[in-house]
Amino acid sequence: MDLLKKTAVFALIVSRCAFACAGEDLVGTTFSQIQCAYLDMDSERTYRAVLRMGFGIIRLGSYWNRIEPSEGVYDFTELDRQLEEAHRKKIPVVLTVGIKAPRWPEYFIPEWLRRKARLARGGDVARNPVLREAALGFIEKVVTRYRDNSAVKYWQVENEALNRIGPDNWYIGPGFLEEEVELVRRLDRSRRPIVLTVATYPNLFLRILRRVGSKYDNIEENLSLCDVLGINVYPDVGHKLWLFPLYFRTDTKRPRKYFRRIHDRIKQAGKVPWVTELQAEPWEPGHLVYTGKEQPRTGRREKTVGTFDMLRSMGFGTVLLWGCEFWLYRARRYGDHRWTESIGALLEMPEKRRQNGTGGE
């Protein structure tokens, strides 16, 4: 067998193994230095504490405005260090690439590019030709740098690309998302699984509003492009309408059929269903982050545990809990360790199931 054939066979084996790993029964989280800044926390110290918690997988963001603060000038120091520490702890990484990344303001477009592209508010931001070209160039830089990094096990392309969100009310259309996914696949010799994510709406009223305001079937559009489809789940959300706080709550049992339908659609398409964000922090009206001492009305621990159990029982094997920075903030600021204790209990559950011979799907 010549070298070319050996390389092709090896790539096929690696890709099949990586895709099989995507179906593992893992509990993870998303870490963001952006959120640490909002909470006035030391990001390096917080990240090390998160890694010590025992997660089976962690998601990190390649924040464009931090990596390319000036046109053509790249600084990967922060992300290099994060990946090195995850590798040292043997924790696999989902690395997001693209215009969007986890945490507000969703779009991490460098200021120099905003001025150059003259981006208008609203609509499909990726229709701007200057932004399109620059975004593909940035993705190529990130993927080329980390495609041989063994800590990176999955690429996530964009974050809720088709969902209209953020201060400028933008979304990324399916045409450009497909172009980004094809670029990542072409650049990555190891054929890592591609993760795409969609927002879900457990609350019926918000679900109806979403149907009225969106022109795409987000799940269908993403399924045609990905290997893993991650859903983002927020049972309790708050919004402020002028001076009036509004709360949209969902009990644990009511959206069961809704999530079952989503799970079945993903499986029938031959893709792997994940939960990439399960609410484990508050979403209070008018708050970018909640820092009060009192227990908030949204993001309760018992709701997180109940929803976690419901989603796991359906076959969502890998679940990433959203809010690790908040748990540690509560512990350090107020001596409130209830969140870290609850998360610790959830992390023990997969191990107990393996010992009992009852794994996930």
Side-chain angles (χ1 to χ4, degrees):
M1 185 182 293
D2 61 30
L3 180 60
L4 182 61
K5 288 182 178 178
K6 287 181 180 178
T7 303
V9 170
F10 177 74
L12 179 62
I13 292 171
V14 169
S15 65
R16 287 181 175 175
C17 290
F19 190 73
C21 290
E24 287 183 345
D25 188 8
L26 300 172
V27 181
T29 192
T30 300
F31 173 80
S32 173
Q33 56 270 39
I34 307 299
Q35 188 72 351
C36 289
Y38 294 150
L39 290 166
D40 195 24
M41 301 172 70
D42 181 276
S43 62
E44 293 185 31
R45 177 187 175 196
T46 304
Y47 180 57
R48 289 193 294 269
V50 170
L51 293 181
R52 289 195 298 268
M53 292 182 73
F55 289 103
I57 190 167
I58 192 163
R59 183 171 62 154
L60 301 173
S62 56
Y63 292 102
W64 191 359
N65 61 347
R66 297 174 75 91
I67 291 174
E68 192 182 6
S70 301
E71 185 173 5
V73 179
Y74 298 91
D75 182 359
F76 287 98
T77 305
E78 187 174 55
L79 188 51
D80 284 349
R81 184 169 55 246
Q82 289 176 343
L83 289 170
E84 182 181 347
E85 292 187 14
H87 178 69
R88 193 180 301 121
K89 290 286 187 179
K90 298 181 172 58
I91 302 175
V93 172
V94 181
L95 183 59
T96 72
V97 296
I99 303 169
K100 298 184 72 180
R103 291 296 177 185
W104 188 264
E106 309 285 341
Y107 294 84
F108 293 88
I109 303 169
E111 192 58 38
W112 60 265
L113 181 56
R114 285 178 176 266
R115 293 192 299 267
K116 184 177 180 179
R118 299 182 180 180
L119 301 171
R121 292 192 75 254
D124 181 355
V125 70
R127 288 183 178 274
N128 184 291
V130 177
L131 177 62
R132 289 172 72 97
E133 182 181 1
L136 293 174
F138 174 67
I139 290 172
E140 184 170 359
K141 280 283 185 183
V142 174
V143 175
T144 301
R145 184 177 185 86
Y146 296 117
R147 63 187 175 187
D148 296 322
N149 189 310
S150 60
V152 178
K153 302 300 183 184
Y154 311 91
W155 303 110
Q156 179 184 314
V157 182
E158 302 296 357
N159 190 50
E160 297 183 357
L162 276 61
N163 292 96
R164 190 186 292 268
I165 196 168
D168 293 295
N169 202 31
W170 288 326
Y171 67 92
I172 296 169
F176 186 63
L177 180 62
E178 181 177 4
E179 194 173 344
E180 292 177 295
V181 170
E182 288 176 352
L183 175 61
V184 174
R185 290 196 191 279
R186 188 166 67 250
L187 292 170
D188 181 24
R189 296 182 289 250
S190 298
R191 302 287 194 271
R192 294 172 178 84
I194 300 291
V195 180
L196 297 180
T197 62
V198 295
T200 62
Y201 302 87
N203 181 276
L204 180 59
F205 178 73
L206 294 181
R207 193 150 71 241
I208 293 170
L209 285 182
R210 183 262 158 195
R211 287 173 183 167
V212 172
S214 177
K215 60 188 293 188
Y216 299 109
D217 181 336
N218 290 359
I219 292 176
E220 193 64 33
E221 295 284 358
N222 281 279
L223 276 175
S224 65
L225 302 174
C226 69
D227 301 305
V228 177
L229 185 63
I231 64 171
N232 297 340
V233 181
Y234 291 83
D236 291 343
V237 301
H239 291 285
K240 202 162 191 178
L241 184 63
W242 294 294
L243 298 176
F244 302 101
L246 301 176
Y247 290 91
F248 301 93
R249 295 191 181 88
T250 312
D251 64 40
T252 302
K253 295 181 181 179
R254 186 166 295 176
R256 182 176 291 273
K257 290 182 179 179
Y258 169 66
F259 287 118
R260 169 59 68 185
R261 286 194 299 268
I262 293 174
H263 173 272
D264 291 349
R265 284 182 70 184
I266 298 171
K267 294 288 285 187
Q268 287 164 10
K271 308 303 172 74
V272 180
W274 281 12
V275 178
T276 36
E277 295 175 17
L278 172 56
Q279 182 180 16
E281 69 173 22
W283 185 334
E284 289 293 292
H287 290 258
L288 176 58
V289 294
Y290 180 77
T291 58
K293 185 175 182 178
E294 299 76 15
Q295 293 299 316
R297 296 176 65 178
T298 59
R300 297 299 187 96
R301 289 174 298 113
E302 59 272 16
K303 177 68 68 69
T304 296
V305 172
T307 307
F308 178 93
D309 290 342
M310 176 191 70
L311 293 166
R312 267 297 179 77
S313 71
M314 292 179 182
F316 287 97
T318 291
V319 178
L320 277 66
L321 299 160
W322 178 258
C324 61
E325 306 88 356
F326 174 75
W327 317 328
L328 295 173
Y329 173 82
R330 293 287 304 181
R332 293 173 184 170
R333 178 70 177 82
Y334 299 114
D336 180 1
H337 297 273
R338 286 174 291 183
W339 263 112
T340 52
E341 290 169 357
S342 294
I343 300 305
L346 290 181
L347 287 170
E348 292 177 2
M349 292 172 65
E351 181 61 31
K352 288 180 179 178
R353 275 201 295 275
R354 282 193 291 271
Q355 291 172 357
N356 295 331
T358 56
E361 287 188 2

CSV table of all heavy atoms in Angstrom, one decimal, residues 293-321:
chain,number,residue,atom,x,y,z
A,293,LYS,N,-27.0,39.0,45.6
A,293,LYS,CA,-26.8,37.9,46.6
A,293,LYS,C,-28.1,37.0,46.7
A,293,LYS,O,-28.0,35.8,46.9
A,293,LYS,CB,-26.5,38.5,48.0
A,293,LYS,CG,-26.3,37.5,49.1
A,293,LYS,CD,-25.9,38.1,50.4
A,293,LYS,CE,-25.5,37.1,51.4
A,293,LYS,NZ,-25.1,37.7,52.7
A,294,GLU,N,-29.3,37.7,46.5
A,294,GLU,CA,-30.5,36.9,46.6
A,294,GLU,C,-30.6,35.9,45.5
A,294,GLU,O,-30.1,36.1,44.4
A,294,GLU,CB,-31.7,37.9,46.6
A,294,GLU,CG,-31.8,38.9,47.7
A,294,GLU,CD,-30.8,40.0,47.5
A,294,GLU,OE1,-30.2,40.2,46.4
A,294,GLU,OE2,-30.5,40.8,48.5
A,295,GLN,N,-31.4,34.8,45.8
A,295,GLN,CA,-31.6,33.8,44.7
A,295,GLN,C,-32.5,34.4,43.6
A,295,GLN,O,-33.6,35.0,43.9
A,295,GLN,CB,-32.3,32.6,45.3
A,295,GLN,CG,-31.4,31.8,46.3
A,295,GLN,CD,-30.1,31.3,45.6
A,295,GLN,OE1,-30.2,30.7,44.5
A,295,GLN,NE2,-29.0,31.5,46.3
A,296,PRO,N,-32.1,34.4,42.4
A,296,PRO,CA,-32.9,34.9,41.3
A,296,PRO,C,-34.1,34.1,41.0
A,296,PRO,O,-34.2,32.9,41.5
A,296,PRO,CB,-31.9,35.0,40.1
A,296,PRO,CG,-31.0,33.8,40.4
A,296,PRO,CD,-30.8,33.8,41.9
A,297,ARG,N,-35.0,34.6,40.2
A,297,ARG,CA,-36.2,33.9,39.8
A,297,ARG,C,-36.0,32.9,38.7
A,297,ARG,O,-36.8,32.0,38.5
A,297,ARG,CB,-37.3,34.9,39.5
A,297,ARG,CG,-37.7,35.8,40.7
A,297,ARG,CD,-38.8,36.8,40.3
A,297,ARG,NE,-40.0,36.2,39.9
A,297,ARG,CZ,-41.1,36.9,39.5
A,297,ARG,NH1,-41.0,38.3,39.5
A,297,ARG,NH2,-42.2,36.3,39.2
A,298,THR,N,-35.0,33.1,37.9
A,298,THR,CA,-34.7,32.2,36.8
A,298,THR,C,-33.4,31.5,37.1
A,298,THR,O,-32.6,31.9,38.0
A,298,THR,CB,-34.5,33.0,35.5
A,298,THR,OG1,-33.4,34.0,35.7
A,298,THR,CG2,-35.7,33.8,35.1
A,299,GLY,N,-33.2,30.4,36.4
A,299,GLY,CA,-31.9,29.6,36.5
A,299,GLY,C,-31.8,29.0,37.8
A,299,GLY,O,-30.7,29.0,38.4
A,300,ARG,N,-32.8,28.3,38.3
A,300,ARG,CA,-32.8,27.6,39.6
A,300,ARG,C,-32.2,26.2,39.4
A,300,ARG,O,-32.3,25.5,38.4
A,300,ARG,CB,-34.2,27.4,40.2
A,300,ARG,CG,-34.9,28.7,40.5
A,300,ARG,CD,-34.1,29.5,41.5
A,300,ARG,NE,-34.8,30.7,42.0
A,300,ARG,CZ,-35.6,30.8,43.1
A,300,ARG,NH1,-35.7,29.7,43.8
A,300,ARG,NH2,-36.1,31.9,43.4
A,301,ARG,N,-31.5,25.8,40.4
A,301,ARG,CA,-30.7,24.5,40.4
A,301,ARG,C,-31.7,23.3,40.2
A,301,ARG,O,-31.4,22.4,39.4
A,301,ARG,CB,-30.0,24.3,41.7
A,301,ARG,CG,-28.7,25.2,41.8
A,301,ARG,CD,-28.1,25.0,43.2
A,301,ARG,NE,-28.9,25.4,44.3
A,301,ARG,CZ,-29.4,24.6,45.2
A,301,ARG,NH1,-29.1,23.3,45.2
A,301,ARG,NH2,-30.2,25.0,46.1
A,302,GLU,N,-32.8,23.3,40.9
A,302,GLU,CA,-33.8,22.2,40.7
A,302,GLU,C,-34.3,22.1,39.3
A,302,GLU,O,-34.6,21.0,38.8
A,302,GLU,CB,-34.9,22.3,41.7
A,302,GLU,CG,-35.7,23.6,41.6
A,302,GLU,CD,-35.2,24.7,42.5
A,302,GLU,OE1,-34.0,24.6,42.9
A,302,GLU,OE2,-35.9,25.7,42.7
A,303,LYS,N,-34.5,23.2,38.6
A,303,LYS,CA,-35.0,23.2,37.3
A,303,LYS,C,-33.9,22.6,36.3
A,303,LYS,O,-34.2,21.9,35.4
A,303,LYS,CB,-35.4,24.6,36.8
A,303,LYS,CG,-35.8,24.8,35.4
A,303,LYS,CD,-37.1,24.1,35.1
A,303,LYS,CE,-38.3,24.8,35.8
A,303,LYS,NZ,-38.7,26.1,35.3
A,304,THR,N,-32.6,23.0,36.6
A,304,THR,CA,-31.5,22.5,35.8
A,304,THR,C,-31.5,20.9,35.9
A,304,THR,O,-31.3,20.2,34.9
A,304,THR,CB,-30.2,23.1,36.2
A,304,THR,OG1,-30.2,24.5,35.9
A,304,THR,CG2,-29.0,22.5,35.4
A,305,VAL,N,-31.5,20.5,37.1
A,305,VAL,CA,-31.4,19.0,37.4
A,305,VAL,C,-32.6,18.3,36.7
A,305,VAL,O,-32.4,17.2,36.1
A,305,VAL,CB,-31.3,18.7,38.9
A,305,VAL,CG1,-31.4,17.2,39.2
A,305,VAL,CG2,-30.1,19.3,39.5
A,306,GLY,N,-33.8,18.8,36.9
A,306,GLY,CA,-35.0,18.2,36.3
A,306,GLY,C,-34.9,18.1,34.8
A,306,GLY,O,-35.2,17.1,34.2
A,307,THR,N,-34.5,19.2,34.2
A,307,THR,CA,-34.4,19.3,32.7
A,307,THR,C,-33.2,18.4,32.2
A,307,THR,O,-33.4,17.7,31.2
A,307,THR,CB,-34.1,20.7,32.2
A,307,THR,OG1,-35.1,21.6,32.8
A,307,THR,CG2,-34.2,20.8,30.7
A,308,PHE,N,-32.1,18.3,33.0
A,308,PHE,CA,-31.0,17.4,32.6
A,308,PHE,C,-31.5,16.0,32.6
A,308,PHE,O,-31.2,15.2,31.6
A,308,PHE,CB,-29.9,17.6,33.7
A,308,PHE,CG,-28.7,16.7,33.5
A,308,PHE,CD1,-27.6,17.2,32.8
A,308,PHE,CD2,-28.7,15.5,34.1
A,308,PHE,CE1,-26.5,16.3,32.6
A,308,PHE,CE2,-27.6,14.6,33.9
A,308,PHE,CZ,-26.5,15.1,33.2
A,309,ASP,N,-32.2,15.6,33.6
A,309,ASP,CA,-32.7,14.2,33.7
A,309,ASP,C,-33.7,13.9,32.5
A,309,ASP,O,-33.6,12.8,31.9
A,309,ASP,CB,-33.4,14.0,35.0
A,309,ASP,CG,-32.5,13.9,36.2
A,309,ASP,OD1,-31.3,13.7,36.0
A,309,ASP,OD2,-32.9,14.1,37.4
A,310,MET,N,-34.5,14.9,32.2
A,310,MET,CA,-35.5,14.7,31.1
A,310,MET,C,-34.8,14.5,29.8
A,310,MET,O,-35.1,13.5,29.0
A,310,MET,CB,-36.4,15.9,31.0
A,310,MET,CG,-37.4,15.8,29.8
A,310,MET,SD,-38.3,17.3,29.5
A,310,MET,CE,-37.0,18.4,28.9
A,311,LEU,N,-33.8,15.3,29.5
A,311,LEU,CA,-33.1,15.3,28.2
A,311,LEU,C,-32.2,14.0,28.1
A,311,LEU,O,-32.2,13.4,27.1
A,311,LEU,CB,-32.2,16.5,28.0
A,311,LEU,CG,-33.0,17.8,27.9
A,311,LEU,CD1,-32.1,19.0,28.0
A,311,LEU,CD2,-33.7,17.9,26.5
A,312,ARG,N,-31.6,13.6,29.2
A,312,ARG,CA,-30.8,12.4,29.2
A,312,ARG,C,-31.7,11.2,29.0
A,312,ARG,O,-31.3,10.3,28.3
A,312,ARG,CB,-30.1,12.3,30.6
A,312,ARG,CG,-28.7,12.9,30.6
A,312,ARG,CD,-27.8,12.1,29.6
A,312,ARG,NE,-26.4,12.7,29.5
A,312,ARG,CZ,-25.5,12.4,30.4
A,312,ARG,NH1,-25.7,11.8,31.5
A,312,ARG,NH2,-24.3,12.9,30.2
A,313,SER,N,-32.9,11.2,29.6
A,313,SER,CA,-33.8,10.0,29.4
A,313,SER,C,-34.2,9.8,28.0
A,313,SER,O,-34.6,8.8,27.5
A,313,SER,CB,-35.0,10.2,30.3
A,313,SER,OG,-35.9,11.2,29.8
A,314,MET,N,-34.2,10.9,27.2
A,314,MET,CA,-34.6,10.9,25.8
A,314,MET,C,-33.4,10.4,24.9
A,314,MET,O,-33.7,10.0,23.7
A,314,MET,CB,-35.0,12.3,25.3
A,314,MET,CG,-36.2,12.7,25.9
A,314,MET,SD,-36.6,14.4,25.3
A,314,MET,CE,-38.1,14.7,26.3
A,315,GLY,N,-32.2,10.4,25.3
A,315,GLY,CA,-31.1,10.0,24.5
A,315,GLY,C,-30.1,11.1,24.2
A,315,GLY,O,-29.2,10.8,23.3
A,316,PHE,N,-30.3,12.3,24.7
A,316,PHE,CA,-29.2,13.3,24.5
A,316,PHE,C,-28.1,12.9,25.4
A,316,PHE,O,-28.0,13.3,26.6
A,316,PHE,CB,-29.8,14.7,24.9
A,316,PHE,CG,-30.8,15.2,23.9
A,316,PHE,CD1,-32.1,15.1,24.1
A,316,PHE,CD2,-30.3,15.9,22.8
A,316,PHE,CE1,-33.0,15.6,23.2
A,316,PHE,CE2,-31.2,16.4,21.8
A,316,PHE,CZ,-32.6,16.3,22.1
A,317,GLY,N,-27.1,12.2,24.9
A,317,GLY,CA,-26.0,11.6,25.7
A,317,GLY,C,-25.1,12.7,26.2
A,317,GLY,O,-24.8,12.7,27.4
A,318,THR,N,-24.6,13.6,25.4
A,318,THR,CA,-23.7,14.6,25.8
A,318,THR,C,-24.5,15.9,26.1
A,318,THR,O,-25.2,16.4,25.2
A,318,THR,CB,-22.6,14.9,24.7
A,318,THR,OG1,-21.8,13.8,24.6
A,318,THR,CG2,-21.8,16.1,25.0
A,319,VAL,N,-24.3,16.4,27.3
A,319,VAL,CA,-25.0,17.6,27.7
A,319,VAL,C,-23.9,18.6,28.3
A,319,VAL,O,-23.2,18.2,29.2
A,319,VAL,CB,-26.0,17.3,28.8
A,319,VAL,CG1,-26.7,18.6,29.3
A,319,VAL,CG2,-27.1,16.4,28.3
A,320,LEU,N,-23.9,19.8,27.8
A,320,LEU,CA,-23.0,20.9,28.3
A,320,LEU,C,-23.8,21.9,29.1
A,320,LEU,O,-24.7,22.5,28.6
A,320,LEU,CB,-22.3,21.6,27.1
A,320,LEU,CG,-21.0,20.9,26.5
A,320,LEU,CD1,-21.4,19.6,25.8
A,320,LEU,CD2,-20.3,21.8,25.5
A,321,LEU,N,-23.4,22.0,30.3
A,321,LEU,CA,-24.1,22.9,31.3
A,321,LEU,C,-23.6,24.3,31.1
A,321,LEU,O,-22.4,24.5,31.0
A,321,LEU,CB,-23.9,22.4,32.7
A,321,LEU,CG,-24.5,21.0,33.0
A,321,LEU,CD1,-23.8,20.4,34.2
A,321,LEU,CD2,-26.0,21.0,33.1
